[in-house]
Amino acid sequence: MSGTPRAPAVVATPAGPVPGAAPGAVAVKANELGQVPVLMYHRIVPKAETPLDRSTKELYDELTRLAKSGYTPITAAEFVGGRFDVPAGRHPVVLTFDDSTPGHFALDANGWPKGDTAVAIIQRVARENPGFRAVATFYLNKDLFGMADAQAAVGLKWLVQRGFELGNHTMSHPSLGGLSQGEVRAEIGGLEDRVVRLTGRHTTTLAYPYGAVPRKAAWARADGGRYTFRGIFLAGWRPSPSPFDENFDRWNITRVRSEGKVEENDCTKFCSTAWLDYLDKNPDERYTSDGDSNTVTFPRTAEGRLAKEHRGRARAY
């Protein structure tokens, strides 16, 4: 037999051949057209008082569950950009925290995150579970974690330097659906101006307060050089399609509300515990990484869902 390496297997499709997947990707049953949970958190407090609250213990337990189930956090910007480094066989998850409340982040006198904040809990879970990245996206309002501007400048830079992402959630958290063009842009642009003044950086993504879309969505997407987003997130009800799926809409990305009492309200179907249970029971529907950020690997049966712009990176098996 010749020692010449064989060319990769191809699958003929009407749009042209797609190279075969690498053996390692096949071994872990990679499916990069699967669903991705984008979890939406609000207040993190010692003891939950409202349905949207999560206690510090509930947050720790949910993040530990994610880690033990093979999830690796990525930021909202990484997700929207479609380039993220998740080890083979693991699953991306996006952790988003709305409203920049004090329970999300605060620094102690030594410059470390206070132990009962979301940031400290994320870092603790990452230390305890190799492969679980200590990253998240914080959607900011004008009350930046309850910090004055001098504190906020230090705190926001601390987050950015450690890989956390800052996102725009408007100045005063109004429902944008009832506002004029000028009001929408003042709310988003005002928050953007403040973040740029304190950090020297623009945000990359926006989360609509209450998930409410303006009368014209373009008002929220860009305003000259004042702000220009790469993706916009809704409020929660289901995991997001893969960013490589033809049904992925970067301007209307769905999220899942973090809540654990599945017997209450609509949480039997739509909250984080219910969805994580579902994906555990249906792993073929979940995004599983091939370990290579330059390729998009999936079962051949899913090829019809691949967005055309990603065919150059596609690998099927």
Side-chain angles (χ1 to χ4, degrees):
M1 294 180 61
S2 170
T4 303
R6 295 181 179 180
V10 297
V11 180
T13 69
V18 172
V26 177
V28 299
K29 299 181 179 180
N31 179 14
E32 297 186 317
L33 293 178
Q35 299 178 75
V36 177
V38 180
L39 301 188
M40 178 179 66
Y41 296 93
H42 290 87
R43 290 202 314 165
I44 304 301
V45 291
K47 183 177 180 180
E49 299 172 357
T50 74
L52 289 179
D53 291 347
R54 297 311 311 261
S55 72
T56 52
K57 182 180 185 304
E58 286 173 330
L59 177 61
Y60 173 80
D61 288 347
E62 183 160 81
L63 297 183
T64 299
R65 172 186 180 165
L66 291 168
K68 300 298 185 187
S69 299
Y71 285 93
T72 294
I74 62 174
T75 66
E78 289 173 329
F79 179 61
V80 170
R83 296 278 182 174
F84 38 86
D85 187 13
V86 173
R90 293 184 67 90
H91 323 292
V93 61
V94 186
L95 309 176
T96 66
F97 292 80
D98 287 9
D99 308 336
S100 54
T101 56
H104 295 167
F105 176 62
L107 294 173
D108 64 20
N110 296 314
W112 294 101
K114 291 185 178 180
D116 58 351
T117 61
V119 170
I121 294 168
I122 292 168
Q123 291 185 323
R124 176 186 171 188
V125 174
R127 289 193 301 270
E128 295 172 349
N129 299 274
F132 191 86
R133 291 174 69 209
V135 300
T137 299
F138 292 94
Y139 283 109
L140 310 174
N141 297 131
K142 64 180 178 181
D143 295 325
L144 300 172
F145 310 111
M147 298 177 178
D149 275 10
Q151 292 176 303
V154 172
L156 296 181
K157 290 176 182 177
W158 189 100
L159 289 170
V160 170
Q161 289 167 359
R162 286 157 181 82
F164 292 93
E165 181 190 2
L166 307 178
N168 193 312
H169 200 43
T170 75
M171 283 291 283
S172 63
H173 201 280
S175 173
L176 298 180
L179 302 187
S180 68
Q181 176 180 350
E183 290 169 330
V184 169
R185 288 183 164 166
E187 280 288 341
I188 298 172
L191 192 282
E192 194 70 14
D193 291 346
R194 191 170 184 206
V195 172
V196 171
R197 178 167 56 83
L198 293 174
T199 69
R201 295 169 176 254
H202 281 280
T203 65
T204 303
T205 60
L206 168 75
Y208 289 129
Y210 310 109
V213 182
R215 291 199 302 275
K216 291 188 178 181
W219 298 347
R221 296 178 186 177
D223 181 13
R226 195 178 189 189
Y227 60 83
T228 301
F229 299 116
R230 292 169 56 194
I232 298 179
F233 291 76
L234 303 174
W237 72 282
R238 62 158 300 152
S240 171
S242 162
F244 314 121
D245 190 306
E246 65 177 358
N247 292 316
F248 178 73
D249 180 356
R250 69 175 57 246
W251 305 117
N252 293 283
I253 303 171
T254 52
R255 295 192 285 172
V256 175
R257 186 170 80 243
S258 177
E259 193 168 337
K261 296 180 179 179
V262 297
E263 71 278 6
E264 291 185 2
N265 305 318
D266 58 0
C267 275
T268 54
K269 294 182 179 179
F270 299 128
C271 290
S272 57
T273 299
W275 272 114
L276 293 175
D277 286 348
Y278 177 85
L279 293 174
D280 282 347
K281 294 173 182 175
N282 298 274
D284 57 317
E285 297 186 32
R286 177 171 53 189
Y287 187 117
T288 299
S289 176
D290 66 2
D292 185 347
S293 61
N294 294 312
T295 58
V296 179
T297 301
F298 47 83
R300 290 172 181 162
T301 54
E303 187 174 347
R305 303 206 322 267
L306 177 68
K308 292 179 181 179
E309 61 267 30
H310 299 296
R311 287 191 64 83
R313 299 166 59 192
R315 302 291 184 271
Y317 65 95

Short mmCIF file of all heavy atoms in Angstrom, two decimals, residues 28-77:
data_model
loop_
_atom_site.label_atom_id
_atom_site.label_comp_id
_atom_site.label_asym_id
_atom_site.label_seq_id
_atom_site.Cartn_x
_atom_site.Cartn_y
_atom_site.Cartn_z
N VAL A 28 -15.64 12.68 20.35
CA VAL A 28 -16.37 13.38 21.41
C VAL A 28 -17.80 13.73 20.97
O VAL A 28 -18.52 14.41 21.70
CB VAL A 28 -15.64 14.67 21.85
CG1 VAL A 28 -14.27 14.34 22.41
CG2 VAL A 28 -15.54 15.68 20.70
N LYS A 29 -18.19 13.27 19.78
CA LYS A 29 -19.52 13.55 19.23
C LYS A 29 -19.78 15.05 19.16
O LYS A 29 -20.81 15.57 19.61
CB LYS A 29 -20.61 12.85 20.05
CG LYS A 29 -20.48 11.33 20.07
CD LYS A 29 -21.61 10.69 20.87
CE LYS A 29 -21.49 9.16 20.84
NZ LYS A 29 -22.56 8.50 21.61
N ALA A 30 -18.81 15.75 18.57
CA ALA A 30 -18.94 17.19 18.43
C ALA A 30 -20.20 17.56 17.67
O ALA A 30 -20.54 16.93 16.67
CB ALA A 30 -17.71 17.76 17.72
N ASN A 31 -20.86 18.60 18.15
CA ASN A 31 -22.03 19.14 17.46
C ASN A 31 -22.06 20.64 17.67
O ASN A 31 -22.64 21.14 18.64
CB ASN A 31 -23.33 18.51 17.96
CG ASN A 31 -24.54 19.10 17.25
OD1 ASN A 31 -24.41 19.76 16.22
ND2 ASN A 31 -25.73 18.87 17.79
N GLU A 32 -21.43 21.36 16.76
CA GLU A 32 -21.33 22.79 16.91
C GLU A 32 -22.49 23.54 16.24
O GLU A 32 -22.43 24.75 16.05
CB GLU A 32 -19.96 23.26 16.40
CG GLU A 32 -18.85 22.65 17.27
CD GLU A 32 -17.47 23.15 16.95
OE1 GLU A 32 -17.14 23.27 15.76
OE2 GLU A 32 -16.71 23.40 17.91
N LEU A 33 -23.53 22.78 15.94
CA LEU A 33 -24.81 23.37 15.55
C LEU A 33 -25.86 23.17 16.64
O LEU A 33 -27.04 23.42 16.42
CB LEU A 33 -25.30 22.78 14.22
CG LEU A 33 -24.46 23.13 12.99
CD1 LEU A 33 -25.02 22.45 11.75
CD2 LEU A 33 -24.40 24.64 12.77
N GLY A 34 -25.42 22.72 17.81
CA GLY A 34 -26.32 22.51 18.93
C GLY A 34 -26.65 23.81 19.67
O GLY A 34 -26.06 24.86 19.43
N GLN A 35 -27.60 23.70 20.60
CA GLN A 35 -28.05 24.87 21.36
C GLN A 35 -27.05 25.27 22.44
O GLN A 35 -26.35 24.43 23.01
CB GLN A 35 -29.40 24.56 22.02
CG GLN A 35 -30.51 24.23 21.04
CD GLN A 35 -31.80 23.89 21.77
OE1 GLN A 35 -32.48 24.77 22.28
NE2 GLN A 35 -32.14 22.61 21.81
N VAL A 36 -27.04 26.56 22.74
CA VAL A 36 -26.13 27.11 23.75
C VAL A 36 -26.95 27.84 24.81
O VAL A 36 -27.68 28.79 24.48
CB VAL A 36 -25.12 28.09 23.13
CG1 VAL A 36 -24.24 28.71 24.21
CG2 VAL A 36 -24.28 27.38 22.07
N PRO A 37 -26.88 27.44 26.08
CA PRO A 37 -27.58 28.21 27.11
C PRO A 37 -26.89 29.54 27.38
O PRO A 37 -25.70 29.58 27.66
CB PRO A 37 -27.53 27.29 28.34
CG PRO A 37 -26.53 26.24 28.05
CD PRO A 37 -26.23 26.24 26.60
N VAL A 38 -27.65 30.61 27.26
CA VAL A 38 -27.20 31.95 27.65
C VAL A 38 -28.01 32.28 28.90
O VAL A 38 -29.20 32.58 28.83
CB VAL A 38 -27.45 32.98 26.54
CG1 VAL A 38 -26.96 34.36 26.98
CG2 VAL A 38 -26.78 32.55 25.23
N LEU A 39 -27.38 32.17 30.06
CA LEU A 39 -28.11 32.30 31.32
C LEU A 39 -28.18 33.76 31.76
O LEU A 39 -27.19 34.50 31.68
CB LEU A 39 -27.44 31.47 32.41
CG LEU A 39 -27.34 29.95 32.12
CD1 LEU A 39 -26.83 29.22 33.35
CD2 LEU A 39 -28.67 29.37 31.67
N MET A 40 -29.35 34.16 32.22
CA MET A 40 -29.62 35.54 32.61
C MET A 40 -29.85 35.60 34.12
O MET A 40 -30.80 35.03 34.64
CB MET A 40 -30.85 36.06 31.86
CG MET A 40 -31.25 37.47 32.21
SD MET A 40 -32.70 38.05 31.27
CE MET A 40 -33.98 36.95 31.92
N TYR A 41 -28.95 36.31 34.81
CA TYR A 41 -29.06 36.50 36.26
C TYR A 41 -29.41 37.95 36.56
O TYR A 41 -29.07 38.86 35.81
CB TYR A 41 -27.73 36.16 36.95
CG TYR A 41 -27.30 34.73 36.81
CD1 TYR A 41 -26.47 34.34 35.77
CD2 TYR A 41 -27.72 33.76 37.71
CE1 TYR A 41 -26.07 33.01 35.64
CE2 TYR A 41 -27.32 32.43 37.60
CZ TYR A 41 -26.50 32.07 36.54
OH TYR A 41 -26.10 30.75 36.42
N HIS A 42 -30.10 38.14 37.69
CA HIS A 42 -30.37 39.49 38.18
C HIS A 42 -29.68 39.65 39.54
O HIS A 42 -28.48 39.47 39.62
CB HIS A 42 -31.88 39.73 38.22
CG HIS A 42 -32.46 39.85 36.83
ND1 HIS A 42 -32.88 38.76 36.10
CD2 HIS A 42 -32.68 40.93 36.05
CE1 HIS A 42 -33.32 39.16 34.91
NE2 HIS A 42 -33.21 40.47 34.86
N ARG A 43 -30.40 39.95 40.58
CA ARG A 43 -29.73 40.18 41.87
C ARG A 43 -29.14 38.88 42.42
O ARG A 43 -29.78 37.82 42.38
CB ARG A 43 -30.71 40.75 42.88
CG ARG A 43 -31.15 42.17 42.62
CD ARG A 43 -31.67 42.83 43.90
NE ARG A 43 -32.60 41.98 44.65
CZ ARG A 43 -32.96 42.19 45.91
NH1 ARG A 43 -32.47 43.22 46.59
NH2 ARG A 43 -33.83 41.39 46.51
N ILE A 44 -27.94 38.99 42.98
CA ILE A 44 -27.32 37.91 43.74
C ILE A 44 -27.25 38.40 45.18
O ILE A 44 -26.59 39.40 45.49
CB ILE A 44 -25.91 37.58 43.21
CG1 ILE A 44 -25.96 37.26 41.71
CG2 ILE A 44 -25.31 36.43 44.01
CD1 ILE A 44 -26.84 36.09 41.33
N VAL A 45 -27.96 37.71 46.08
CA VAL A 45 -28.12 38.17 47.46
C VAL A 45 -27.94 36.98 48.40
O VAL A 45 -28.06 35.82 47.99
CB VAL A 45 -29.51 38.81 47.66
CG1 VAL A 45 -29.60 40.14 46.91
CG2 VAL A 45 -30.62 37.87 47.19
N PRO A 46 -27.66 37.26 49.68
CA PRO A 46 -27.50 36.13 50.62
C PRO A 46 -28.72 35.22 50.69
O PRO A 46 -28.59 34.01 50.77
CB PRO A 46 -27.25 36.84 51.96
CG PRO A 46 -26.62 38.14 51.57
CD PRO A 46 -27.31 38.55 50.30
N LYS A 47 -29.93 35.83 50.64
CA LYS A 47 -31.16 35.06 50.65
C LYS A 47 -32.12 35.64 49.62
O LYS A 47 -32.42 36.84 49.65
CB LYS A 47 -31.81 35.10 52.04
CG LYS A 47 -33.07 34.25 52.15
CD LYS A 47 -33.64 34.29 53.55
CE LYS A 47 -34.91 33.43 53.65
NZ LYS A 47 -35.49 33.46 55.03
N ALA A 48 -32.57 34.81 48.69
CA ALA A 48 -33.45 35.29 47.62
C ALA A 48 -34.76 35.81 48.20
O ALA A 48 -35.36 35.19 49.08
CB ALA A 48 -33.72 34.16 46.64
N GLU A 49 -35.22 36.96 47.67
CA GLU A 49 -36.45 37.59 48.14
C GLU A 49 -37.52 37.66 47.05
O GLU A 49 -38.71 37.76 47.36
CB GLU A 49 -36.14 39.00 48.65
CG GLU A 49 -35.18 39.01 49.83
CD GLU A 49 -34.74 40.41 50.19
OE1 GLU A 49 -35.14 41.37 49.48
OE2 GLU A 49 -33.99 40.57 51.18
N THR A 50 -37.12 37.65 45.80
CA THR A 50 -38.06 37.71 44.68
C THR A 50 -37.73 36.57 43.71
O THR A 50 -36.64 35.99 43.77
CB THR A 50 -37.94 39.05 43.93
OG1 THR A 50 -36.73 39.05 43.15
CG2 THR A 50 -37.93 40.22 44.90
N PRO A 51 -38.67 36.23 42.78
CA PRO A 51 -38.40 35.14 41.85
C PRO A 51 -37.15 35.35 40.99
O PRO A 51 -36.51 34.37 40.57
CB PRO A 51 -39.67 35.11 40.98
CG PRO A 51 -40.74 35.65 41.87
CD PRO A 51 -40.07 36.72 42.68
N LEU A 52 -36.78 36.61 40.71
CA LEU A 52 -35.61 36.86 39.88
C LEU A 52 -34.30 36.80 40.65
O LEU A 52 -33.23 36.75 40.04
CB LEU A 52 -35.73 38.23 39.19
CG LEU A 52 -36.77 38.34 38.08
CD1 LEU A 52 -36.78 39.75 37.51
CD2 LEU A 52 -36.52 37.33 36.97
N ASP A 53 -34.37 36.83 41.99
CA ASP A 53 -33.15 36.75 42.79
C ASP A 53 -32.56 35.35 42.75
O ASP A 53 -33.30 34.36 42.66
CB ASP A 53 -33.44 37.08 44.26
CG ASP A 53 -33.81 38.52 44.50
OD1 ASP A 53 -33.61 39.36 43.60
OD2 ASP A 53 -34.33 38.81 45.60
N ARG A 54 -31.25 35.25 42.86
CA ARG A 54 -30.60 33.99 43.20
C ARG A 54 -29.74 34.23 44.43
O ARG A 54 -29.02 35.22 44.52
CB ARG A 54 -29.69 33.49 42.07
CG ARG A 54 -30.31 33.14 40.74
CD ARG A 54 -31.51 32.24 40.72
NE ARG A 54 -31.50 31.01 41.46
CZ ARG A 54 -31.26 29.79 40.94
NH1 ARG A 54 -30.92 29.66 39.68
NH2 ARG A 54 -31.36 28.71 41.67
N SER A 55 -29.83 33.31 45.38
CA SER A 55 -28.98 33.42 46.56
C SER A 55 -27.54 33.08 46.17
O SER A 55 -27.29 32.46 45.13
CB SER A 55 -29.47 32.49 47.66
OG SER A 55 -29.20 31.14 47.32
N THR A 56 -26.61 33.47 47.03
CA THR A 56 -25.21 33.14 46.76
C THR A 56 -25.02 31.62 46.68
O THR A 56 -24.26 31.13 45.84
CB THR A 56 -24.31 33.72 47.85
OG1 THR A 56 -24.80 33.34 49.14
CG2 THR A 56 -24.28 35.24 47.78
N LYS A 57 -25.73 30.88 47.50
CA LYS A 57 -25.62 29.42 47.46
C LYS A 57 -26.22 28.87 46.16
O LYS A 57 -25.65 27.95 45.54
CB LYS A 57 -26.32 28.77 48.65
CG LYS A 57 -26.20 27.25 48.67
CD LYS A 57 -26.91 26.63 49.86
CE LYS A 57 -26.66 25.12 49.92
NZ LYS A 57 -27.06 24.42 48.69
N GLU A 58 -27.36 29.43 45.74
CA GLU A 58 -27.98 28.97 44.49
C GLU A 58 -27.06 29.22 43.30
O GLU A 58 -26.94 28.38 42.40
CB GLU A 58 -29.32 29.65 44.29
CG GLU A 58 -30.42 29.13 45.21
CD GLU A 58 -31.70 29.94 45.10
OE1 GLU A 58 -31.62 31.17 44.82
OE2 GLU A 58 -32.78 29.36 45.31
N LEU A 59 -26.41 30.38 43.30
CA LEU A 59 -25.48 30.67 42.21
C LEU A 59 -24.31 29.70 42.24
O LEU A 59 -23.94 29.12 41.20
CB LEU A 59 -24.96 32.10 42.31
CG LEU A 59 -23.92 32.49 41.25
CD1 LEU A 59 -24.49 32.39 39.85
CD2 LEU A 59 -23.37 33.90 41.52
N TYR A 60 -23.73 29.49 43.41
CA TYR A 60 -22.61 28.55 43.53
C TYR A 60 -23.04 27.15 43.07
O TYR A 60 -22.32 26.49 42.30
CB TYR A 60 -22.11 28.49 44.97
CG TYR A 60 -21.07 27.42 45.20
CD1 TYR A 60 -19.75 27.62 44.84
CD2 TYR A 60 -21.43 26.19 45.75
CE1 TYR A 60 -18.80 26.62 45.02
CE2 TYR A 60 -20.49 25.19 45.94
CZ TYR A 60 -19.18 25.41 45.57
OH TYR A 60 -18.25 24.40 45.74
N ASP A 61 -24.20 26.71 43.49
CA ASP A 61 -24.66 25.36 43.13
C ASP A 61 -24.91 25.24 41.62
O ASP A 61 -24.58 24.23 41.02
CB ASP A 61 -25.95 25.01 43.90
CG ASP A 61 -25.70 24.76 45.38
OD1 ASP A 61 -24.53 24.60 45.77
OD2 ASP A 61 -26.70 24.73 46.13
N GLU A 62 -25.51 26.29 41.02
CA GLU A 62 -25.79 26.20 39.58
C GLU A 62 -24.50 26.23 38.77
O GLU A 62 -24.34 25.47 37.80
CB GLU A 62 -26.70 27.33 39.15
CG GLU A 62 -27.09 27.24 37.67
CD GLU A 62 -28.34 28.03 37.34
OE1 GLU A 62 -28.22 29.26 37.17
OE2 GLU A 62 -29.43 27.43 37.27
N LEU A 63 -23.55 27.09 39.15
CA LEU A 63 -22.28 27.13 38.43
C LEU A 63 -21.51 25.82 38.61
O LEU A 63 -20.86 25.34 37.66
CB LEU A 63 -21.44 28.31 38.91
CG LEU A 63 -22.01 29.71 38.66
CD1 LEU A 63 -21.03 30.77 39.13
CD2 LEU A 63 -22.36 29.92 37.20
N THR A 64 -21.57 25.24 39.80
CA THR A 64 -20.91 23.96 40.03
C THR A 64 -21.56 22.88 39.18
O THR A 64 -20.86 22.02 38.60
CB THR A 64 -20.96 23.59 41.51
OG1 THR A 64 -20.26 24.59 42.27
CG2 THR A 64 -20.30 22.24 41.76
N ARG A 65 -22.88 22.91 39.06
CA ARG A 65 -23.56 21.96 38.19
C ARG A 65 -23.07 22.11 36.76
O ARG A 65 -22.80 21.11 36.08
CB ARG A 65 -25.07 22.18 38.25
CG ARG A 65 -25.81 21.33 37.20
CD ARG A 65 -27.28 21.59 37.11
NE ARG A 65 -27.86 20.73 36.08
CZ ARG A 65 -29.15 20.51 35.92
NH1 ARG A 65 -30.03 21.11 36.71
NH2 ARG A 65 -29.58 19.71 34.96
N LEU A 66 -22.97 23.34 36.28
CA LEU A 66 -22.47 23.57 34.92
C LEU A 66 -21.07 23.00 34.75
O LEU A 66 -20.77 22.33 33.75
CB LEU A 66 -22.47 25.07 34.61
CG LEU A 66 -23.83 25.74 34.46
CD1 LEU A 66 -23.67 27.27 34.44
CD2 LEU A 66 -24.53 25.28 33.18
N ALA A 67 -20.21 23.27 35.72
CA ALA A 67 -18.84 22.78 35.64
C ALA A 67 -18.79 21.26 35.60
O ALA A 67 -18.07 20.66 34.78
CB ALA A 67 -18.03 23.31 36.82
N LYS A 68 -19.54 20.60 36.48
CA LYS A 68 -19.55 19.14 36.54
C LYS A 68 -20.18 18.53 35.29
O LYS A 68 -19.88 17.37 34.94
CB LYS A 68 -20.31 18.67 37.78
CG LYS A 68 -19.75 19.15 39.11
CD LYS A 68 -18.34 18.66 39.36
CE LYS A 68 -17.87 19.06 40.76
NZ LYS A 68 -16.42 18.73 40.98
N SER A 69 -21.05 19.29 34.61
CA SER A 69 -21.70 18.81 33.40
C SER A 69 -20.90 19.09 32.14
O SER A 69 -21.37 18.81 31.03
CB SER A 69 -23.10 19.43 33.27
OG SER A 69 -23.92 19.07 34.37
N GLY A 70 -19.70 19.67 32.29
CA GLY A 70 -18.82 19.87 31.14
C GLY A 70 -18.99 21.19 30.41
O GLY A 70 -18.55 21.33 29.27
N TYR A 71 -19.59 22.20 31.07
CA TYR A 71 -19.75 23.50 30.43
C TYR A 71 -18.52 24.38 30.68
O TYR A 71 -17.92 24.34 31.76
CB TYR A 71 -20.99 24.21 30.97
CG TYR A 71 -22.29 23.66 30.45
CD1 TYR A 71 -22.98 22.67 31.15
CD2 TYR A 71 -22.82 24.11 29.24
CE1 TYR A 71 -24.18 22.15 30.66
CE2 TYR A 71 -24.02 23.60 28.75
CZ TYR A 71 -24.69 22.62 29.47
OH TYR A 71 -25.87 22.11 28.98
N THR A 72 -18.18 25.19 29.68
CA THR A 72 -17.10 26.17 29.78
C THR A 72 -17.67 27.55 29.47
O THR A 72 -18.19 27.76 28.37
CB THR A 72 -15.97 25.84 28.79
OG1 THR A 72 -15.35 24.62 29.16
CG2 THR A 72 -14.92 26.95 28.76
N PRO A 73 -17.60 28.50 30.40
CA PRO A 73 -18.12 29.85 30.12
C PRO A 73 -17.34 30.57 29.03
O PRO A 73 -16.11 30.47 28.94
CB PRO A 73 -17.99 30.56 31.47
CG PRO A 73 -18.02 29.47 32.48
CD PRO A 73 -17.26 28.35 31.82
N ILE A 74 -18.08 31.31 28.20
CA ILE A 74 -17.52 32.24 27.23
C ILE A 74 -18.27 33.56 27.39
O ILE A 74 -19.34 33.59 27.99
CB ILE A 74 -17.63 31.72 25.78
CG1 ILE A 74 -19.10 31.54 25.38
CG2 ILE A 74 -16.86 30.42 25.62
CD1 ILE A 74 -19.31 31.16 23.91
N THR A 75 -17.71 34.64 26.86
CA THR A 75 -18.40 35.92 26.98
C THR A 75 -19.43 36.08 25.86
O THR A 75 -19.40 35.36 24.85
CB THR A 75 -17.41 37.09 26.90
OG1 THR A 75 -16.83 37.13 25.59
CG2 THR A 75 -16.32 36.97 27.95
N ALA A 76 -20.32 37.04 26.05
CA ALA A 76 -21.32 37.33 25.02
C ALA A 76 -20.65 37.75 23.72
O ALA A 76 -21.08 37.35 22.62
CB ALA A 76 -22.27 38.42 25.51
N ALA A 77 -19.59 38.54 23.80
CA ALA A 77 -18.89 38.99 22.60
C ALA A 77 -18.24 37.81 21.87
O ALA A 77 -18.27 37.74 20.63
CB ALA A 77 -17.84 40.03 22.95
#
